[in-house]
């Protein structure tokens, strides 16, 4: 009863500020063609790891758009297409149009297939030649500018997964397209087991796309989630803990104010922050 009372009080205080949403600068396009295939589990894994890596490792936020609802894509600075394998022509053309207009696209693994995974050759039309083929190595190295990470594809993934083969054996490529840029991992990044590596690549993509962070934090524990929702005149922070760590600290970018507190393992906290850094409402936040 106390929890419901406290949550009700938070909602009552927060409601006047929830007048509309400020769209994040990052969009995740969900590969629904893969999701509706016999490799459904791969699509779900890629999407889940994409979200976890972006929020809990790269410390950013995004909105999701289904491949079959691509008309809702909007105008993000960064588009993440996690290990799609195949896409509808309409979806690809919409994404390419956003890149030509100035967006950055991060895509991993072969993306040349149509919804039935028949090759389309779309990579050649943007000057990014690769050949799709089987992924046969459990351990492999992904190298991108000034960074590298070891990717692991366990279980039966070396039996069923594909990858892209770039000229010269490269595992990474970048290609200007119109006013924007495509960042390409030849390996299906989000289907590997090293989530830290996914987050590191996302950090690079966020920087390349000049995505402005909503907050910053020195917390590196991925068990601490800091999830933001921006309203026109306030920012909602949702904090959750999957970790024994208790101390949480972050800096709100809009106000420049630092927040520090405790969050018990398995618990959540809510903070509604005004543009000047004042706390408009809190739930279960133990400031220190």
């Amino acid at each position: 009863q106390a929890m419901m009372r406290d949550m009700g009080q938070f909602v009552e205080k927060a409601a006047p500020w929830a007048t509309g949403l400020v769209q994040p600068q990052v969009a995740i396009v969900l590969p629904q063609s893969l999701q509706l295939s016999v490799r459904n589990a791969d699509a779900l894994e890629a999407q889940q790891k994409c979200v976890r890596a972006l929020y809990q490792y790269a410390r950013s936020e995004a909105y999701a758009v289904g491949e079959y609802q691509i008309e809702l894509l909007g105008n993000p600075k960064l588009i993440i297409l996690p290990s799609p394998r195949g896409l509808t022509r309409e979806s690809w053309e919409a994404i390419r149009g956003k890149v030509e207009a100035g967006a950055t696209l991060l895509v991993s693994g072969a993306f040349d297939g149509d919804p039935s995974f028949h090759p389309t050759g779309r990579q050649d039309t943007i000057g990014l030649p690769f050949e799709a083929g089987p992924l046969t190595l459990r351990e492999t190295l992904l190298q991108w500018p000034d960074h590298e990470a070891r990717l692991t594809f366990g279980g039966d993934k070396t039996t069923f997964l594909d990858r892209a083969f770039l000229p010269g054996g490269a595992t990474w490529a970048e290609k200007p397209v119109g006013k924007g840029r495509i960042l390409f991992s030849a390996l299906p990044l989000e289907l590997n087991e090293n989530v830290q590596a996914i987050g590191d690549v996302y950090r690079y993509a966020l920087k390349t796309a000049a995505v402005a962070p909503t907050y910053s934090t020195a917390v590196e524990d991925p068990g601490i989630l800091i999830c933001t929702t921006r309203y026109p005149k306030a920012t909602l922070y949702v904090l959750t803990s999957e970790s024994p760590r208790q101390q949480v600290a972050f800096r709100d970018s809009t106000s420049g104010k630092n927040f520090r507190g405790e969050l018990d393992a398995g618990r959540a906290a809510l903070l509604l922050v005004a543009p000047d850094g004042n706390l408009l409402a809190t739930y279960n936040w133990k400031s220190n």
Side-chain angles (χ1 to χ4, degrees):
Q1 290 181 346
M3 182 189 73
M4 296 301 294
R5 180 201 63 212
D6 293 345
M7 178 64 76
Q9 291 174 349
F10 174 85
V11 172
E12 184 177 19
K13 291 179 180 179
W17 303 94
T19 57
L21 293 176
V22 177
Q23 196 86 299
Q25 297 178 323
V26 182
I28 301 170
V29 176
L30 308 179
Q32 291 172 312
S33 290
L34 185 61
Q35 189 172 332
L36 295 174
S37 75
V38 295
R39 302 304 300 175
N40 167 271
D42 290 341
L44 295 180
E45 178 183 346
Q47 294 170 30
Q48 290 166 351
K49 284 184 178 175
C50 174
V51 171
R52 181 170 287 271
L54 183 67
Y55 277 77
Q56 293 175 254
Y57 289 79
R59 300 295 176 183
S60 189
E61 64 276 334
Y63 61 97
V65 177
E67 175 191 346
Y68 297 161
Q69 296 82 37
I70 200 64
E71 68 276 5
L72 303 176
L73 183 54
N75 295 292
K77 286 188 174 182
L78 174 63
I79 302 169
I80 301 177
L81 187 54
S83 305
R85 192 56 188 94
L87 285 172
T88 65
R89 180 183 60 81
E90 293 79 10
S91 180
W92 172 250
E93 290 301 324
I95 293 170
R96 178 174 174 174
K98 296 299 181 183
V99 174
E100 290 176 343
T104 297
L105 168 66
L106 171 62
V107 57
S108 62
F111 61 90
D112 61 311
D114 66 11
S116 299
F117 310 125
H118 299 140
T120 65
R122 61 171 59 109
Q123 71 273 34
D124 296 324
T125 67
I126 56 172
L128 192 62
F130 66 76
E131 296 289 336
L135 190 158
T136 58
L137 296 178
R138 185 180 190 277
E139 305 288 339
T140 189
L141 196 65
L142 175 65
Q143 297 177 307
W144 66 100
D146 300 323
H147 297 276
E148 66 178 31
R150 183 166 297 280
L151 306 186
T152 299
F153 297 92
D156 61 0
K157 291 180 177 178
T158 54
T159 302
F160 295 106
L161 288 187
D162 288 337
R163 56 159 293 178
F165 290 89
L166 287 162
T171 55
W172 182 267
E174 300 189 11
K175 181 69 179 180
V177 177
K179 297 179 181 179
R181 176 172 292 271
I182 294 179
L183 311 179
F184 177 56
S185 164
L187 298 156
L189 179 64
E190 293 83 6
L191 293 175
N192 106 93
E193 296 173 12
N194 184 353
V195 184
Q196 179 66 62
I198 305 172
D200 290 344
V201 172
Y202 286 3
R203 284 183 183 273
Y204 173 77
L206 290 162
K207 182 179 179 181
T208 301
V211 173
T214 302
Y215 73 95
S216 59
T217 181
V219 175
E220 296 183 352
D221 184 348
I224 301 296
L225 168 67
I226 304 175
C227 177
T228 62
T229 300
R230 295 182 60 200
Y231 302 123
K233 296 183 179 180
T235 301
L236 173 65
Y237 286 87
V238 179
L239 285 66
T240 66
S241 173
E242 300 175 310
S243 168
R245 176 191 180 94
Q246 291 188 320
Q247 294 295 321
V248 180
F250 64 92
R251 181 182 181 87
D252 176 62
S253 297
T254 300
S255 64
K257 186 172 181 179
N258 294 309
F259 295 89
R260 183 180 299 275
E262 293 184 2
L263 184 61
D264 293 335
R267 297 298 304 277
L270 304 173
L271 295 82
L272 188 66
V273 181
D276 61 4
N278 286 330
L279 284 174
L280 301 170
T282 65
Y283 167 77
N284 197 39
W285 176 244
K286 295 177 286 186
S287 179
N288 59 26

